[in-house]
């Protein structure tokens, strides 16, 4: 383990980011953990009236808290839930002692991070929601409310070290929404929010970066259509599709990543095929296979990166690599 010197008790954002970057974890997990720490730093910077880069984390910046955040991100990456619903947040009440003295609960940074999120004080005296917890909720939760009608497949419990009048316990339940059997969920319909805007003062690279980031931040789809604007100026129409529960976060992200000053919203009814991702082992290497089915149609698609690896290794084209994978798929399924 590490010896925590006094210099680690006041870790800056750069130190936290480099610690996360140095971990042996998937890139997506690093990005998620970094985004969550940026949320915390932004809230702290608003509280202290300095830039996020000047923020020095106290309890939050130490290794155990970094591991807490990264562990949650890693678990989310492994579980890959379609929707995350949380109960209203119990912040606790009274006061909390921290590096800046005695502060009211929720602490100022926590209160900022919980803006727009249903929360209540309750009768328990103490801090039940920290800035770290609030940032994780803000980043991951799609909607707040009662537990939906669902078939539970697994339940997990986390217990805190502090003793309160009630059990200091957090419970997570994973399951399938009732009425959606995987076997007969052939013709699926859901709703998505469409957000669009016109932009004529961004370069292609800037717009490309914005699309990339929006997809990383959870957009179901993001694409750009060339447009001719007023005074015959060339521009773009940006279109973003997201879940209804992600609307507010995605609006904020579009405004922060583009130069637009206005957005349009449309509610779409969407019909999607059921999708599964499997892995096929061939003599040329493993190939991930995406299979889609529904409405009486079935199709498959191989992961491009896996086909490319075979093509590079065998010195052939992508088409030939796909044909080789087809041969293995057909032999495996007996078709």
């Amino acid at each position: 383990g590490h010896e925590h010197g006094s210099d680690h008790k006041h870790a800056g954002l750069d130190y936290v980011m480099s610690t996360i970057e140095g971990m042996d974890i998937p890139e997506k997990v690093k990005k998620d953990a970094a985004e969550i720490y940026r949320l915390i730093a932004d809230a702290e910077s608003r509280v202290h009236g300095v830039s996020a880069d000047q923020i020095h984390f106290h309890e939050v910046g130490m290794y155990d808290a970094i591991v807490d955040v990264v562990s949650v991100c890693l678990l989310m990456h492994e579980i890959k839930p379609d929707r995350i619903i949380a109960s209203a947040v119990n912040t606790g009440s009274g006061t909390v002692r921290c590096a800046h003295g005695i502060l009211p609960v929720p602490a100022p940074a926590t209160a900022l991070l919980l803006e727009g999120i249903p929360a209540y004080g309750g009768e328990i005296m103490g801090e039940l929601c920290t800035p770290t917890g609030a940032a994780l909720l803000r980043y991951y939760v799609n909607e707040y409310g009662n537990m939906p009608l669902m078939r539970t497949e697994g339940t997990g419990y986390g217990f805190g070290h502090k003793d309160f009048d009630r059990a200091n316990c957090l419970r997570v339940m994973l399951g399938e929404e009732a009425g959606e059997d995987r076997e007969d969920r052939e013709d699926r319909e859901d709703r998505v929010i469409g957000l669009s805007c016109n932009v004529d003062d961004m370069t292609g690279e800037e717009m490309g970066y914005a699309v990339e980031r929006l997809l990383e931040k959870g957009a179901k789809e993001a694409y750009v259509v060339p447009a001719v604007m007023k005074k015959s100026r060339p521009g773009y129409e940006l279109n973003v599709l997201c879940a209804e529960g992600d609307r507010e976060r995605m609006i904020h992200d579009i405004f922060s990543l583009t130069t637009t000053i206005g957005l349009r919203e449309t509610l779409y009814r969407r019909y999607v095929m059921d999708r599964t991702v499997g892995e096929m082992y061939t003599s040329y290497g493993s190939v991930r296979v995406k299979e889609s089915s529904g409405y009486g149609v079935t199709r498959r698609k191989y992961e491009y990166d896996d086909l490319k690896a075979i093509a590079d290794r065998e010195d052939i084209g992508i088409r030939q690599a796909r044909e080789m994978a087809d041969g293995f798929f057909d032999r495996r399924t007996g078709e």
Side-chain angles (χ1 to χ4, degrees), residues 83 85 145-152 175-180:
R83 278 168 73 208
I85 302 166
N146 295 325
M147 178 178 164
L149 188 62
M150 61 186 267
R151 278 182 298 278
T152 305
E176 282 285 317
E177 211 166 351
E180 277 210 5

Side-chain angles (χ1 to χ4, degrees), residues 82-334:
D82 293 326
R83 278 168 73 208
I84 300 171
I85 302 166
S87 308
V89 182
N90 188 343
T91 62
S93 57
T95 58
V96 62
R97 183 183 294 279
C98 69
H100 307 294
I102 295 173
L103 294 173
V105 171
T110 305
L112 280 176
L113 286 161
L114 290 177
E115 278 182 2
I117 292 173
Y120 63 100
E123 71 282 0
I124 295 175
M125 299 296 281
E127 186 182 31
L128 298 186
C129 183
T130 63
T132 311
L136 285 164
L137 290 169
R138 182 155 212 99
Y139 189 74
Y140 280 116
V141 176
N142 303 120
E143 57 191 272
Y144 291 85
N146 295 325
M147 178 178 164
L149 188 62
M150 61 186 267
R151 278 182 298 278
T152 305
E153 294 167 4
T155 308
Y157 291 87
F159 288 87
H161 294 298
K162 290 182 182 170
D163 288 326
F164 296 115
D165 294 338
R166 273 200 344 237
N168 185 5
C169 167
L170 175 72
R171 181 167 68 178
V172 177
M173 303 171 88
L174 179 68
E176 282 285 317
E177 211 166 351
E180 277 210 5
D181 287 329
R182 281 195 189 279
E183 296 79 30
D184 48 273
R185 189 177 61 194
E186 193 171 73
D187 299 348
R188 262 179 56 188
E189 172 201 323
D190 64 11
R191 286 143 55 102
V192 291
I193 297 292
L195 299 168
S196 62
C197 61
N198 292 16
V199 176
D200 65 2
D201 55 353
M202 288 177 71
T203 67
E205 285 173 336
E206 289 167 350
M207 184 57 83
Y209 178 78
V211 168
E212 198 178 298
R213 295 290 287 126
L214 289 164
L215 289 168
E216 284 172 4
K217 284 169 172 285
K220 290 180 179 291
E221 181 64 279
Y223 62 95
V224 173
V225 180
V228 177
M229 315 273 285
K230 63 183 179 221
K231 300 179 184 171
S232 298
R233 284 201 297 260
Y236 305 100
E237 180 185 75
L238 171 66
N239 295 278
V240 179
L241 299 181
C242 68
E244 289 182 87
D246 289 341
R247 174 200 279 113
E248 293 302 321
R249 185 159 61 89
M250 208 52 66
I251 288 172
H252 167 268
D253 290 337
I254 294 170
F255 278 127
S256 66
L257 288 164
T258 72
T259 56
T260 190
I261 55 172
L263 290 176
R264 300 179 294 275
E265 178 188 314
T266 311
L267 181 62
Y268 291 104
R269 182 175 289 140
R270 189 173 71 139
Y271 301 90
V272 293
M273 298 171 86
D274 211 10
R275 285 158 290 187
T276 57
V277 179
E279 197 157 4
M280 179 174 72
Y281 296 93
T282 76
S283 56
Y284 309 105
S286 68
V287 180
R288 282 164 291 177
V289 188
K290 299 173 185 172
E291 294 189 67
S292 304
S293 60
Y295 303 94
V297 177
T298 302
R299 64 168 65 99
R300 69 175 181 267
K301 184 180 179 185
Y302 305 113
E303 184 67 51
Y304 171 76
D305 289 341
D306 297 345
L307 290 181
K308 181 178 180 298
I310 292 173
D312 289 345
R313 212 163 32 242
E314 302 294 323
D315 197 22
I316 55 176
I318 290 288
R319 182 185 289 272
Q320 289 99 311
R322 188 181 297 111
E323 286 166 357
M324 285 157 71
D326 276 337
F328 267 91
F329 186 92
D330 293 340
R331 282 199 292 280
R332 189 189 70 171
T333 57

